[in-house]
Amino acid sequence: MMNMGGPSTVAETHDFLKNLFLDNDLIPLPFQRFLAPVIARRRTPQIEQQYTDIGGGSPILRYTQLQGEGLACLLDELHPETAPHKTYVAFRYANPLTQETARQMKADGVKRAIAFTQYPQYSCSTTGSSLNEIFRRGKAAEFGDVEWSVIDRWGTHPGFVEAVAINIEAALAKFPVATRDKTVLLFSAHSLPMSVVNRGDPYIMEVSATVSAVMDRLGHSNPYRLVWQSQVGPSAWMGMQTNEALKGLARLGEKQVVLVPIAFTSDHIETLYELDLEYAKEARKHGIEVYRAESLNDSPVFIRALADIAAEHLRQGKGSPTSVQLGLRCPGCTNATCGQQKEWFRQGGR
């Protein structure tokens, strides 16, 4: 179960930030090896305070482990031919890091594994970065002798869409019936640098497809927009930014908003701090009544969706270990590792 992860304690914040800023797949920086530690050191006090404000750390590991336990249990029933199933967490920037997970899998004697992204929509900077890391560790035999396949995207899976829609309906129910259908649904996803978008990364398209599927499920009951959050640094990022959109809606006279995290499946700093404490507070200051649709966290509908996705992948048997879409590099890609990684997984990690 691949994800970016988050510091489970405040003390882990600096290492998390350093790992994040060192990742050229996520944030391309000039002189990255030198700049990343400097940026991480400067940002650590502020981010430590944010993690303190949300309870002393990120809950993403706890929720990922909970989701994994539920997934494995259901998968034993849905696909008994490959049971028993066991889930491992491989975070990109926080413990357990991919290299730690590799050591554990090797010690456990794992021979068959699925690299299952926990980002519903694919981006080279998220899922792609995690797959690159597994490729590097796999080539170095850190996992041992493992046959690999990949679940690389699932942003329009009906179970995922249903789980999101249920949480939106619960948030909408907090508004008076008379004005409920006038409430704006503001779908918020982690932004990307425009340099990544402009090389042909599919993330924007795939997040848009998720939003469209959710609105179809809701019967287009409310007006909505897709906006973007968590911009870092001075370079151009995909917009409009979520906080600016809230100010704009207030200026236009909108009074009710539901914030919907659409690219995050577990609560972490982007939901608990940015959306809940920062953006929602700002919106209320501008006269907007705002509620957030809950993250999927321990949703049984979502956990069932994860199991269904994995079961369907296993039923496909020994066809191609990867999807057709994963094999296509971004038209502007110049990352040699990306091409090597795709070929390695296409051959089952051999």
Side-chain angles (χ1 to χ4, degrees), residues 63 66-67 70-71 74 78 157 159-160 162-164 166-167 265 294-308:
Y63 281 125
L66 187 154
Q67 292 161 359
L71 158 63
L74 285 170
L78 293 171
H157 184 274
F160 168 55
E162 179 66 18
V164 173
I166 287 171
N167 286 356
T265 57
E294 289 187 14
S295 299
L296 298 178
N297 292 340
D298 58 355
S299 159
V301 176
F302 174 61
I303 293 172
R304 174 67 190 219
L306 291 177
D308 286 342

Side-chain angles (χ1 to χ4, degrees), residues 249-278:
L249 290 173
R251 178 177 54 80
L252 294 171
E254 300 295 342
K255 298 296 184 185
Q256 298 177 175
V257 168
V258 170
L259 285 170
V260 184
I262 199 60
F264 311 120
T265 57
S266 303
D267 272 325
H268 56 314
I269 198 166
E270 281 86 355
T271 58
L272 296 175
Y273 187 85
E274 282 187 61
L275 292 183
D276 290 354
L277 299 184
E278 192 173 5

Side-chain angles (χ1 to χ4, degrees), residues 187-223:
F187 293 88
S188 187
H190 200 295
S191 188
L192 279 184
M194 288 307 297
S195 59
V196 177
V197 175
N198 289 337
R199 73 181 179 219
D201 191 282
Y203 175 73
I204 307 301
M205 171 184 70
E206 294 194 11
V207 176
S208 300
T210 299
V211 172
S212 179
V214 170
M215 290 310 303
D216 284 347
R217 157 60 179 78
L218 293 171
H220 290 267
S221 58
N222 293 76

Side-chain angles (χ1 to χ4, degrees), residues 111-188:
K111 297 300 181 187
R112 170 75 173 92
I114 302 169
F116 190 172
T117 184
Q118 297 304 293
Y119 305 101
Q121 306 90 6
Y122 184 91
S123 172
C124 298
S125 60
T126 54
T127 299
S129 178
S130 287
L131 292 176
N132 283 348
E133 184 69 358
I134 288 179
F135 161 69
R136 286 188 286 263
R137 303 289 172 181
K139 286 287 284 184
E142 293 183 30
F143 287 95
D145 183 21
V146 177
E147 178 188 352
W148 287 94
S149 63
V150 182
I151 299 173
D152 60 291
R153 67 198 80 207
W154 38 274
T156 56
H157 184 274
F160 168 55
V161 169
E162 179 66 18
V164 173
I166 287 171
N167 286 356
I168 292 173
E169 289 170 335
L172 282 169
K174 297 175 182 178
F175 292 103
V177 174
T179 59
R180 192 171 296 163
D181 62 352
K182 295 181 175 60
T183 302
V184 176
L185 304 182
L186 208 56
F187 293 88
S188 187

Side-chain angles (χ1 to χ4, degrees), residues 242-243 246 257 259 271 273-292:
T242 306
N243 56 334
L246 285 164
V257 168
L259 285 170
T271 58
Y273 187 85
E274 282 187 61
L275 292 183
D276 290 354
L277 299 184
E278 192 173 5
Y279 299 165
K281 180 180 178 181
E282 182 77 11
R284 293 185 184 106
K285 198 164 72 176
H286 286 85
I288 291 180
E289 184 179 7
V290 59
Y291 293 101
R292 177 170 68 85

